[in-house]
Amino acid sequence: VLVDFWTYTCINWLRTLAYVRAWAEKYGERGVVVVGVHTPEFPFERDIDNVRRAATDMNVWYPIALDSDYEVWRAFSNHYWPAVYMADAEGRIRHHQFGEGGYDDCERGIQQLLREAGAEAVGDDLVSVTPVGFEAQADWTNLRSPETYLGYAQGQSFASRGDAEIGRPANYELPDMLLAGQWALSGDWTIESGASVLNGGDGRIVFRFHARDVHLVLRAPDAPVPFRVLIDGEPPGDAHGLDVDEQGNGTVTDPRLYQLVRERGSIADRTFEIAFTAPGVEAYVFTFG
């Protein structure tokens, strides 16, 4: 049994999905059972309809255990998204992998446990996958921007003029300059525990980043809400992500992870900006690739 802890907005898990899916396809008839344990990070990920929609969109067809109360998470003493645990035919955990990577070791572990369980003709060949979209592997060589939360509980590197007002509405202005890894708000926002929430009808978030990909977890209770992305003050063109066009236009629909930038050229320090024209948008966390 391979147990895969995930939550559907996690880019680190998404970049492992192609491998887990391929193992389930390749070894399912040999006796391997893959179970995805969905343990939510954000409140909206507790909604079963959101999980069902995400699983369909992401082609997660193997069984999913909903772990909204973290009972399975605690039973495994787990601390990570993603995390893979592999149990042998006697129910003993024999291998684990925390975070991305270790794909060859995981698959060789599957093969070893199958042979021990008496499976026949288990070869040494490993799956070959070519992940695309969200599942594409990060450009680790050029990835210098850290995961950055936009709520006060885990937030850091906030750079709007003046101090952040915790848990209450405030008008924010952009600074004259952002340093690498800093972010700022413009407009009427409330910085809540887990997210920055737009109160007015005109708000912006900017981030000084160095990466191929820019992702942002967004929710809009009154979706759809349009937005526009700029890079260094210009439309992204060929650097647009999956969820925007060349002019930077996109729409918040479902609560999920949005890919806003995928740079096709050279990677350098750049300024990302996303602008909203309707209130209610909740911005949770930036991740990069």
Side-chain angles (χ1 to χ4, degrees):
V1 176
L2 186 151
V3 177
D4 182 37
F5 281 89
W6 65 296
T7 189
Y8 78 80
T9 62
C10 178
I11 188 60
N12 307 97
W13 168 76
L14 276 162
R15 292 195 290 244
T16 70
L17 176 57
Y19 289 91
V20 176
R21 189 192 297 117
W23 297 333
E25 292 173 349
K26 180 178 179 181
Y27 298 105
E29 294 184 356
R30 306 285 184 89
V32 172
V33 176
V34 174
V35 178
V37 177
H38 186 271
T39 311
E41 180 173 12
F42 302 116
F44 60 81
E45 292 178 294
R46 298 174 183 272
D47 186 320
I48 188 171
D49 290 333
N50 289 339
V51 179
R52 284 192 175 118
R53 185 186 305 112
T56 298
D57 292 344
M58 298 171 178
N59 193 24
V60 182
W61 49 264
Y62 45 80
I64 298 169
L66 293 175
D67 188 33
S68 295
D69 295 326
Y70 279 61
E71 292 183 8
V72 182
W73 179 280
R74 288 192 294 269
F76 276 75
S77 297
N78 187 53
H79 300 281
Y80 308 98
W81 294 285
V84 164
Y85 296 86
M86 290 163 43
D88 62 18
E90 303 300 322
R92 298 169 296 183
I93 294 175
R94 298 277 298 278
H95 182 82
H96 65 261
Q97 169 67 36
F98 300 144
E100 300 174 62
Y103 305 116
D104 290 355
D105 287 343
C106 281
E107 188 169 3
R108 291 190 179 100
I110 292 171
Q111 293 169 349
Q112 176 184 339
L113 297 185
L114 283 173
R115 294 186 188 108
E116 291 179 7
E120 298 180 356
V122 178
D124 295 323
D125 60 305
L126 303 178
V127 298
S128 177
V129 299
T130 306
V132 296
F134 283 106
E135 297 177 16
Q137 301 303 288
D139 180 0
W140 297 110
T141 300
N142 292 299
L143 177 50
R144 300 178 190 171
S145 295
E147 180 179 55
T148 301
Y149 287 84
L150 306 186
Y152 65 77
Q154 295 176 271
Q156 56 185 357
S157 302
F158 181 67
S160 289
R161 292 179 180 176
D163 294 331
E165 298 288 342
I166 303 303
R168 60 185 181 181
N171 280 294
Y172 293 98
E173 296 181 6
L174 300 180
D176 293 331
M177 182 180 67
L178 285 176
L179 301 178
Q182 288 185 328
W183 64 282
L185 300 172
S186 172
D188 184 358
W189 295 81
T190 299
I191 302 177
E192 298 183 350
S193 175
S196 290
V197 181
L198 179 60
N199 302 312
D202 185 13
R204 292 184 289 164
I205 309 173
V206 297
F207 195 109
R208 187 70 173 167
F209 77 100
H210 189 112
R212 182 194 66 197
D213 301 338
V214 177
H215 310 103
L216 181 58
V217 175
L218 295 168
R219 175 178 179 264
D222 297 322
V225 172
F227 61 80
R228 191 173 189 211
V229 166
L230 300 176
I231 303 175
D232 293 336
E234 301 291 337
D238 290 342
H240 69 91
L242 292 171
D243 292 300
V244 301
D245 61 20
E246 292 184 354
Q247 295 303 310
N249 297 308
T251 305
V252 181
T253 52
D254 304 324
R256 62 178 176 87
L257 181 76
Y258 287 77
Q259 186 186 90
L260 305 174
V261 175
R262 172 154 286 174
E263 178 61 64
R264 273 79 174 175
S266 60
I267 310 301
D269 286 350
R270 290 189 167 93
T271 299
F272 165 88
E273 175 183 316
I274 184 169
F276 305 96
T277 57
V281 172
E282 302 167 359
Y284 287 83
V285 60
F286 278 105
T287 56
F288 302 89

